[in-house]
Amino acid sequence: MLLEEVVLVDHEDNEIGFAEKLEAHRQGALHRAFSVMVWDSKGRLLLQRRQVDKYHSGGLWTNTCCGHPRPGETTLQAAARRLNEEMRVICPLTPIGTFTYRAELDAGLTEHEFVHVFRGTYDGVIAPDPVECDGYSWTSPDVIRKQVAAEPQCFSAWFKKYVEAEWPIAPPG
């Protein structure tokens, strides 16, 4: 597997360097990331279940797609690239804000991310890459809130923070 670098940032998202992705998560270093929320025309959010063998948070439900821009890549470019790679979805994405969080994960890792959040609308076929995703579900915001409250251990740390903040799990419009 090729080593992947992430962009280290300060608390205002100014680039301050690069680090190998796994090492950044071991150290809890603040780095740039993105999250994508894809909605259908019925107001349901596309959730994915992370592939069980992922290096962290395997088997947990989360937003449509997330990841890290590569050095020299914009967050929008990275979000569109990973959305296609993970879920085989291509749709226009709109930035809707940023979200900074820190969370302790499994395997002794720490997520400390300055996240750029994007929204898209899509009603086509979903054909996720099985290396990335073990399943998916189109789910309404009310059901998401109930599921996270009833079984928080089934959801990624960052997605629980989004739901707790009630942002950005609201359909467009």
Side-chain angles (χ1 to χ4, degrees), residues 50 57 60-63 152 154-161:
R50 289 172 60 86
S57 308
L60 299 181
W61 287 94
T62 195
N63 54 289
C154 295
F155 293 86
S156 71
W158 57 92
F159 189 68
K160 288 186 287 191
K161 289 184 180 291

Side-chain angles (χ1 to χ4, degrees), residues 60-119:
L60 299 181
W61 287 94
T62 195
N63 54 289
T64 311
C65 170
C66 55
H68 307 91
R70 296 171 177 155
E73 184 179 41
T74 70
T75 53
L76 178 58
Q77 290 168 335
R81 173 181 54 80
R82 288 301 291 159
L83 180 60
N84 185 34
E85 290 171 355
E86 289 186 21
M87 302 302 286
R88 305 291 189 248
V89 168
I90 297 173
C91 67
L93 297 176
T94 303
I96 59 172
T98 60
F99 193 92
T100 302
Y101 77 95
R102 184 179 180 93
E104 303 302 317
L105 304 176
D106 52 341
L109 302 177
T110 301
E111 289 266 87
H112 191 194
E113 299 188 333
F114 191 105
V115 184
H116 295 254
V117 184
F118 296 91
R119 169 181 284 155

Side-chain angles (χ1 to χ4, degrees), residues 1 50-59 130-132 134:
M1 181 188 337
R50 289 172 60 86
Q51 208 283 332
V52 72
D53 293 326
K54 287 247 182 181
Y55 74 103
H56 73 76
S57 308
V131 171
E132 299 290 343
D134 274 341

